[in-house]
Amino acid sequence: MSKQWKVMVVDDELPIREEIREMKLWDYGYELAGEAVNGKEALAVFRKIKPDIVITDITMPVMDGLELIENLEKENPLTKFIILTCHQDFEFARKAIEHNAVDYLLKADICEAEIIRVLDKARKAAEKEQQLIKKLRDENRIKISGYSIGEIENPGALENDFRKLGFQINPDENNYYLVMENRLGSWIFVELMVREYLKESEEIKSWILLDDGIYGIVLINPYNASGVIDKLVENIQGAFPFVNDSFRFFIVACSKRMLNAKQYVREKEEAVKWKAEAFYYPAQTVFHDSGIRQFNTADEAVKQEFNKALTEIVSDFGEAEKNWLITWGKTAHLWPWELKKLIFSSLESNNPGIPAALKEAIKGKLESAEDMECLAKVFARDCWPELVMSGRNEIRKAIRMIKNDFGKNLSQTEVAEQLGISSQYFGKLFWEETKERFNDYLNRIRMEQAARLLEDGGLKIYEVAEKVGIPNYRYFTLKFHEWYGISPKDFQKKRK
């Protein structure tokens, strides 16, 4: 008898669970092995029944579906996830799919045929991954990574393993390393695809696994290193279209003279420096180690230089400040984590009144920035406005209110009432402190947010309009054109 695949359903709506419970899943090779009403309860049920597939709602009390998926992936990365959602939850659904969910279902469309369809899709994905894992276990190349973890006590055995794999070190020219950076957390299946690509690629003569995300490669044509990356990315995105930029690949051409396998394996310890250099140049796909400079730390002199530079740039914020930070960062060439700490330290010292919750939120965004472009965006959008924010407490509160609630029907009168001052006096204060009228400032924040949402491409134009607090489509189009000199539709097309 073939295996019955264990299924667990997690949803706080009893009718949804009952509807799935009534379906004849057993006839199609599935067993409804357990249920839970929220993510926290699901963790306990999961550990007990160890299901193969989890069907989960996104919006639930106690622990939502995204957090549940992240937790369960750590316990068993082979588990497949299917998400349930309402139409308005689609953005969450997209994020869940980026977290390795196989598919999503709208609750309004739930029926036995649809449930079986997505369960079959999850099962096929799991079976394919299991086959890849089985094949991977037979790969002799994985032995090499064992040598790179501790001391290489037997260089002769390592040389022998290199010979078995046909891996040749070039003592007179560059030797190459492929580096993979993961921005999602769980990456085993993408790693497996990378290894399949390395095995099948006509551009790769031989390869070895040095560590998670680090491979030694022998290129047939060293001048086509960037082409190798392009093809690899194309393969990954073809198999996992929702991961987008969640994985970064680049090749390092090492010019150091290497005479044996031990020297080659040891060189992977430079990966931390390679990744730091890639942080500053996210669009680059090939790095030459001879061009990678030494990284600096943020001593007192660097801190003073940074703070002085902050006081000299313009008081508005946006593209200018983003570009300024990119230029300054590349010149200072700090370790990425040192640069993030420096920015946050300046934010704290120059803005002691910033609320603790907002401070922690900004810190989290800084720490999670994957590259210099992302860090500069966080700086321009979240840090710089706080650094140049008004000194008057009423206006500081008003600005935060606008930034938090721009999607609502805000008005100058309403904000003034919440601050306990007259609308006329508030308008005068706002102009004195920001050099912008209230409505102009509100429209700018809305238009900047609209541009970001249009760039992301996950929403239709009318949905973007609603999210930024301008539900009238024609009026939104008019204001957007006034601000950017282009219609929202043309703006979106240009960003694709």
Side-chain angles (χ1 to χ4, degrees):
M1 184 178 177
S2 60
K3 169 187 173 181
Q4 292 290 125
W5 287 67
K6 289 183 179 180
V7 178
M8 181 172 78
V9 176
V10 187
D11 198 306
D12 60 327
E13 296 183 44
L14 178 60
I16 296 293
R17 301 200 309 276
E18 287 180 338
E19 187 173 354
I20 296 175
R21 197 185 303 155
E22 292 298 317
M23 296 176 184
K24 298 177 181 179
L25 302 185
W26 187 271
D27 293 346
Y28 299 91
Y30 303 101
E31 172 192 359
L32 183 55
E35 299 178 14
V37 299
N38 58 57
K40 185 175 181 181
E41 181 179 309
L43 287 173
V45 176
F46 181 90
R47 290 164 185 153
K48 183 178 180 181
I49 67 175
K50 295 180 173 56
D52 303 296
I53 303 171
V54 175
I55 302 175
T56 179
D57 188 13
I58 287 293
T59 53
M60 297 181 294
V62 185
M63 179 189 293
D64 65 28
L66 290 178
E67 188 178 352
L68 173 64
I69 290 174
E70 290 176 356
N71 279 279
L72 295 186
E73 270 193 319
K74 294 174 184 176
E75 299 208 9
N76 186 2
L78 296 178
T79 304
K80 298 287 102 185
F81 300 96
I82 297 165
I83 56 178
L84 298 174
T85 179
C86 299
H87 175 71
Q88 60 266 32
D89 297 329
F90 179 76
E91 180 61 22
F92 291 100
R94 191 172 70 84
K95 288 182 180 178
I97 290 173
E98 291 177 357
H99 282 72
N100 288 341
V102 173
D103 208 340
Y104 70 93
L105 281 177
L106 294 175
K107 290 188 177 184
D109 296 338
I110 284 182
C111 64
E112 186 169 294
E114 278 297 291
I115 289 289
I116 297 304
R117 179 186 68 79
V118 293
L119 286 175
D120 284 347
K121 183 176 180 180
R123 182 182 65 190
K124 288 176 183 177
E127 288 173 342
K128 183 178 180 180
E129 290 167 356
Q130 289 168 5
Q131 290 171 0
L132 284 171
I133 291 172
K134 185 176 183 300
K135 190 174 183 180
L136 180 64
R137 286 171 181 161
D138 298 331
E139 290 282 358
N140 190 43
R141 292 180 176 87
I142 205 167
K143 286 179 60 180
I144 305 299
S145 64
Y147 287 108
S148 66
I149 294 172
E151 289 297 323
I152 299 176
E153 298 177 354
N154 190 345
L158 181 60
E159 295 283 354
N160 188 47
D161 286 334
F162 268 49
R163 281 193 295 271
K164 286 180 182 178
L165 296 170
F167 195 94
Q168 297 178 331
I169 295 170
N170 192 331
D172 301 315
E173 296 181 14
N174 288 338
N175 286 281
Y176 296 87
Y177 299 83
L178 171 67
V179 182
M180 167 185 169
E181 286 189 286
N182 166 48
R183 299 171 178 177
L184 279 181
S186 175
W187 61 4
I188 180 171
F189 305 122
V190 176
E191 283 247 23
L192 290 171
M193 282 205 65
V194 172
R195 296 170 198 180
E196 277 298 303
Y197 169 77
L198 293 175
K199 182 179 179 182
E200 302 296 333
S201 174
E202 296 179 355
E203 297 292 333
I204 306 293
K205 184 176 181 181
S206 186
W207 64 275
I208 54 176
L209 172 65
L210 295 173
D211 207 340
D212 285 342
I214 304 176
Y215 302 85
I217 57 175
V218 178
L219 294 170
I220 292 176
N221 178 11
Y223 296 103
N224 191 36
S226 60
V228 170
I229 295 295
D230 291 342
K231 185 62 178 177
L232 175 57
V233 171
E234 180 184 330
N235 284 4
I236 298 296
Q237 291 184 341
F240 300 101
F242 290 98
V243 301
N244 296 323
D245 299 324
S246 299
F247 295 88
R248 162 91 186 275
F249 300 92
F250 59 88
I251 286 174
V252 176
C254 183
S255 60
K256 295 179 183 177
R257 184 170 173 79
M258 296 183 189
L259 301 177
N260 55 53
K262 180 178 179 179
Q263 289 177 333
Y264 185 90
V265 170
R266 283 294 184 207
E267 188 61 23
K268 73 97 184 174
E269 294 174 2
E270 292 291 301
V272 64
K273 186 186 293 185
W274 301 340
K275 291 178 181 179
E277 189 73 13
F279 174 89
Y280 283 100
Y281 299 92
Q284 195 166 326
T285 56
V286 180
F287 293 88
H288 294 267
D289 72 328
S290 56
I292 296 177
R293 297 181 286 140
Q294 186 62 44
F295 288 90
N296 305 314
T297 55
D299 58 20
E300 195 58 37
V302 172
K303 292 177 183 178
Q304 291 178 6
E305 176 192 337
F306 183 77
N307 283 318
K308 181 182 177 184
L310 281 178
T311 64
E312 293 176 351
I313 56 178
V314 295
S315 61
D316 197 8
F317 65 96
E319 285 297 314
E321 282 59 53
K322 187 181 80 171
N323 295 332
W324 169 82
L325 182 65
I326 291 173
T327 301
W328 191 93
K330 288 179 178 179
T331 302
H333 212 248
L334 303 176
W335 286 102
W337 54 88
E338 286 276 358
L339 179 58
K340 294 174 183 180
K341 284 169 56 180
L342 176 61
I343 294 172
F344 186 72
S345 175
S346 295
L347 178 70
E348 281 192 309
S349 60
N350 289 299
N351 197 348
I354 185 171
L358 178 58
K359 185 164 62 175
E360 284 303 308
I362 293 176
K363 183 179 181 182
K365 290 179 181 180
L366 289 171
E367 290 176 347
S368 63
E370 304 97 346
D371 54 51
M372 192 66 223
E373 287 286 341
C374 293
L375 184 66
K377 286 181 181 179
V378 172
F379 175 76
R381 295 176 185 177
D382 300 288
C383 299
W384 185 246
E386 296 300 328
L387 288 169
V388 300
M389 191 177 281
S390 157
R392 291 194 65 108
N393 190 46
E394 300 95 329
I395 306 306
R396 294 172 68 87
K397 288 180 179 179
I399 289 175
R400 290 202 177 97
M401 196 181 303
I402 293 171
K403 290 180 180 296
N404 291 331
D405 299 329
F406 62 84
K408 298 178 181 178
N409 186 24
L410 282 183
S411 69
Q412 178 173 316
T413 301
E414 179 186 356
V415 174
E417 286 178 357
Q418 292 192 46
L419 295 172
I421 56 180
S422 72
S423 178
Q424 184 178 1
Y425 180 55
F426 168 66
K428 179 175 178 294
L429 283 182
F430 198 91
W431 168 259
E432 289 176 351
E433 293 293 324
T434 67
K435 302 308 177 195
E436 284 186 273
R437 293 181 177 84
F438 175 87
N439 286 333
D440 292 339
Y441 187 91
L442 175 60
N443 279 330
R444 176 162 64 82
I445 296 300
R446 283 172 167 169
M447 292 303 105
E448 288 172 353
Q449 178 66 15
R452 290 196 282 271
L453 292 172
L454 290 170
E455 282 180 344
D456 292 341
L459 297 174
K460 294 178 180 174
I461 294 173
Y462 75 87
E463 292 174 322
V464 171
E466 290 176 354
K467 277 193 172 290
V468 301
I470 309 178
N472 186 304
Y473 179 85
R474 291 184 180 277
Y475 183 67
F476 169 74
T477 302
L478 175 65
K479 299 306 292 184
F480 192 91
H481 192 281
E482 286 180 1
W483 189 262
Y484 288 102
I486 189 173
S487 71
K489 186 176 182 180
D490 290 339
F491 181 90
Q492 201 169 44
K493 284 180 180 178
K494 283 191 172 183
R495 293 304 190 273
K496 289 183 178 179

